[in-house]
Structures are given as structure tokens and as C-alpha cells.
Amino acid sequence: MMEVVAALICADGHFLVCQRPAHKARGLLWEFVGGKVEPGETPQQALARECREELDIGVEVGQEYFQVTHTYPDTTVHLTLFCARICQGAPRMLEHAAMAWITPEEIEQYEFCPADEVILDKLRQGLPQWPQTPAGRVRDMLLTRQDTGYRDFQCALMPTVPTEQVIGVRMPELRQLARQLAGTEAAEAFLNQLPHQYYEENNLHGLLLCAQKDYAATLARLEKFLPFVDNWATCDLLSPRAFQSRPSGLPEQIRRWLQSPLLYTRRFGVGMLLQFYLDDAFSPRYLEWAAQVEQEEYYVSMMAAWFFATALAKQYSQTLPWLEQRRLPRDTHNRAIQKAVESRRLTQEQKQYLRTLRWKE
């Protein structure tokens, strides 16, 4: 008899199942993640190892949920299913053909290994409850919205973010979840919990924060959150609703962000100038502020270039001397020109002149 363990990983009314590879016994049938207990291992140790090997996640193993013995044509297995929850990483298929978060009502849509059928009968009556904090429930809601294909796409765009910190949740789903959570106890608990484990948690944090109307409260939460922003995508989704009226103290606050030693705080500061101070609230001093920000890092230089390209479209005569006189770092200078000539808001004559201003070696 083979001793086998498996994990019942539940989140937000769903549980995680995986499809066996086609080349293995019972190929393409669905099962719970797990595997054989090796000599010298406890069942809990074996389950933690299998979860790392098969899904690249760390799990906290809880109480035993069910035991079953089943005889297949090739072997007899004694399966112990444990409740478990993810404590590190996000599920990533390393061995299986597919994986899915499903509800008890969706069980009939999947063909499971015969040994699991008696377990599924029990799950149809309801999932076990794991003690959960409001902020933990938010994380569960993100996990059940995972799209592994989109996760791979995101990771390719964000080399600064470790892959184990990316779940793979599309932005429309994040925005919908933010609207669903806004003003709830879970959202408040989530906003008070830093640092987060996942990239999507940071994005959701930013969306919830930016939906607030009160300027002072938004500013206080931004100050706590910005040190944990570690990528351009999270940085660039920050567009605080409370800033739209351009409170009188906002420009000086932006200036302080521009002087921060933190890369993405500086990028955020330049982004706020771009969003709120290139139209009717424009002042030439904002060009000076954006030019003076430390731009050695690529992601700050790119935002500064975006700012000056947009300034050319909106405040052409005021901005042009900065390029004519080469008052920007060379990389920022050339990137700003490139972005400007790609814009539809400048005339062909303006674009042709800007091309002559490229800073060559």
C-alpha cells in the first residue's frame, strides 16, 4: 500500500485542484496537489515538499480532513487529505497539465481520480473553514482570480519583481475587486497591513487608497505605502482622487517626493506633476522641478522623459528651450524627443524640428 498525502487549499469559497499530466497514470484526471510520503518524512513534511515541487508554494498544513483507501489496477493508495493554506508564493504549474480554483457547485464539471470521489461527496456539503483575518480574506479573493498565462506575461514586463510574488490577476478584475471592497472592514484592515506579500496586493492597495476623497487621509496613507512600491506598474496606477482638486499644499508635497532617495517615490512625484500640473495649473517652475530630479535610474528617466514629451504637447513654447539648451540629462533628452515625435498632438513641423535636436555622441 502506498501512503499518499494531499492538500485541500481553500480560498474565498473555492478550492484548488490540478490536472494530472497526460503521460502519467490516470492522465488528465483532476486531483488535489500532493504525492507519496517518502521514508523518514512525516505526512505534513511530505505535503509541504510536494506543494513546493508541484506548485512552487509554501503551505501551512492544518488539521486532517479525510482519509480514504482506494485500489487501482496498478496500486493501492492510502490517501490522507489535510487542510492547508498558502503562506508563500503563488501557485505555478511545474508538473501538472492545468490547475483551477473551483467551488463545490462546479465539481461536476471536472473528472477526478476515483480515489477522490468520496472526498468530493463531503466537499459538496460545504468547505471547511480556516480562521481568517479580514486582510487574509482579501488575499484569498486575489488567489482565486489567478490567470497563470497572464502571470507569465506580467513577469516578463516587470523584471524587478520576483516571480513568486506575482499571482496573475488582470487589472479589470483588480478594479472590480477594489470597488467591491471599498469602505468595508476588510478593506480598512488590508490598508493597515504593510508590507504585502504579492504584487497584486500592492496594486489593490493603491487602487483602494486612490479612491479616498479626503486629502489628509490619502496623503498619510501614501507616505506609508510609497516605500513599499517596487515597480513601475504599481507606481503608475497611483492617481489619487483627492488630488484632482489640486489642494494648495500638493505642489510642495510633490517637491518633497521628487527629492526622495527612493527611486519609485521620485517617479511617482514626476507622475503627479504630469497628471495635475501641465494644463491650467501649469507653471514653468514645474519644468525646473522635473529636470532637477535625480534621473540616473532608468525608471525615473523614463518618467521624466514622458513628462517633458507631454509638456511639449501642452506647453510647447515654455518647454522647447529645455531641449534646445540641452538642460536635461542626455538619455532623458533623447527619450523625451522620441516620445514627442510619436505623439499625435504635435504638428509635423514641430516633430521635424525636434528631430534636429537629438543629442548625439
Side-chain angles (χ1 to χ4, degrees), residues 187-194 205 208-209 212 215-227:
E188 189 65 22
F190 180 75
L191 285 169
N192 288 328
Q193 180 179 323
L194 284 169
H205 190 120
L208 289 169
L209 186 158
Q212 296 184 329
Y215 174 68
T218 300
L219 190 61
R221 281 191 155 149
L222 266 173
E223 294 286 47
K224 293 180 180 179
F225 179 57
L226 283 172

Side-chain angles (χ1 to χ4, degrees), residues 49-79:
R49 174 183 53 76
E50 291 286 350
C51 287
R52 285 194 303 271
E53 293 175 355
E54 296 185 3
L55 293 179
D56 197 25
I57 55 174
V59 296
E60 179 182 350
V61 181
Q63 64 184 7
E64 179 185 306
Y65 180 74
F66 204 87
Q67 290 190 33
V68 60
T69 300
H70 185 86
T71 299
Y72 290 107
D74 57 329
T75 187
T76 297
V77 298
H78 177 249
L79 169 64

Side-chain angles (χ1 to χ4, degrees), residues 54-57 90-94 99 146 148 151-152 163:
E54 296 185 3
L55 293 179
D56 197 25
I57 55 174
R92 183 165 65 95
M93 290 182 297
L94 301 180
M99 68 179 184
Q146 184 181 42
T148 55
R151 169 200 169 117
D152 295 340
T163 57

Side-chain angles (χ1 to χ4, degrees), residues 134-359:
R137 181 171 178 269
V138 172
R139 177 176 295 178
D140 285 352
M141 296 171 81
L142 290 169
L143 287 168
T144 59
R145 287 163 170 79
Q146 184 181 42
D147 181 329
T148 55
Y150 185 65
R151 169 200 169 117
D152 295 340
F153 170 74
Q154 282 184 308
C155 289
L157 294 178
M158 300 181 302
T160 63
V161 181
T163 57
E164 65 269 16
Q165 294 177 13
V166 182
I167 298 173
V169 182
R170 294 178 180 272
M171 186 54 67
E173 292 222 46
L174 276 177
R175 294 189 184 279
Q176 181 184 40
L177 183 56
R179 291 191 294 270
Q180 177 183 337
L181 289 170
T184 65
E185 176 189 355
E188 189 65 22
F190 180 75
L191 285 169
N192 288 328
Q193 180 179 323
L194 284 169
H196 297 303
Q197 178 178 340
Y198 295 111
Y199 160 76
E200 286 85 357
E201 287 182 305
N202 279 333
N203 285 356
L204 181 61
H205 190 120
L207 292 172
L208 289 169
L209 186 158
C210 290
Q212 296 184 329
K213 299 179 182 179
D214 183 78
Y215 174 68
T218 300
L219 190 61
R221 281 191 155 149
L222 266 173
E223 294 286 47
K224 293 180 180 179
F225 179 57
L226 283 172
F228 297 102
V229 174
D230 61 358
N231 67 88
W232 65 267
T234 302
C235 180
D236 293 1
L237 69 76
L238 296 173
S239 181
R241 181 178 180 181
F243 290 5
Q244 292 177 359
S245 62
R246 294 187 291 275
S248 59
L250 182 56
E252 287 304 319
Q253 177 58 56
I254 291 175
R255 193 173 190 181
R256 287 191 284 273
W257 285 327
L258 294 172
Q259 297 168 351
S260 170
L262 301 176
L263 184 165
Y264 291 104
T265 299
R266 295 199 302 278
R267 181 180 171 103
F268 172 71
V270 179
M272 292 301 94
L273 286 180
L274 187 158
Q275 286 190 50
F276 298 112
Y277 292 99
L278 284 180
D279 294 299
D280 56 325
F282 173 76
S283 168
R285 64 176 176 157
Y286 300 139
L287 298 172
E288 186 80 37
W289 290 4
Q292 290 177 348
V293 70
E294 175 57 59
Q295 298 174 33
E296 289 186 7
E297 296 95 341
Y298 170 80
Y299 290 105
V300 178
S301 174
M302 285 298 295
M303 180 59 79
W306 188 7
F307 171 85
F308 277 94
T310 307
L312 283 167
K314 295 185 174 183
Q315 307 290 341
Y316 184 78
S317 61
Q318 299 265 26
T319 309
L320 186 60
W322 286 84
L323 298 169
E324 292 176 323
Q325 300 166 20
R326 294 188 175 181
R327 298 172 64 186
L328 302 175
R330 187 180 66 185
D331 286 347
T332 304
H333 174 105
N334 287 337
R335 287 167 179 156
I337 291 175
Q338 182 62 38
K339 288 179 176 293
V341 299
E342 293 170 355
S343 170
R344 296 183 179 181
R345 293 182 288 183
L346 294 175
T347 67
Q348 290 302 317
E349 291 77 12
Q350 290 172 328
K351 293 179 183 181
Q352 187 58 40
Y353 179 58
L354 287 171
R355 290 187 181 99
T356 70
L357 299 179
R358 286 195 172 109
W359 191 339

Side-chain angles (χ1 to χ4, degrees), residues 91-110:
R92 183 165 65 95
M93 290 182 297
L94 301 180
E95 296 185 9
H96 290 91
M99 68 179 184
W101 290 93
I102 69 172
T103 65
E105 292 75 22
E106 295 170 327
I107 289 173
E108 306 307 326
Q109 301 175 26
Y110 298 81

Side-chain angles (χ1 to χ4, degrees), residues 81-94:
L81 185 69
F82 289 91
C83 293
R85 64 178 172 186
I86 299 170
C87 61
Q88 184 178 18
R92 183 165 65 95
M93 290 182 297
L94 301 180

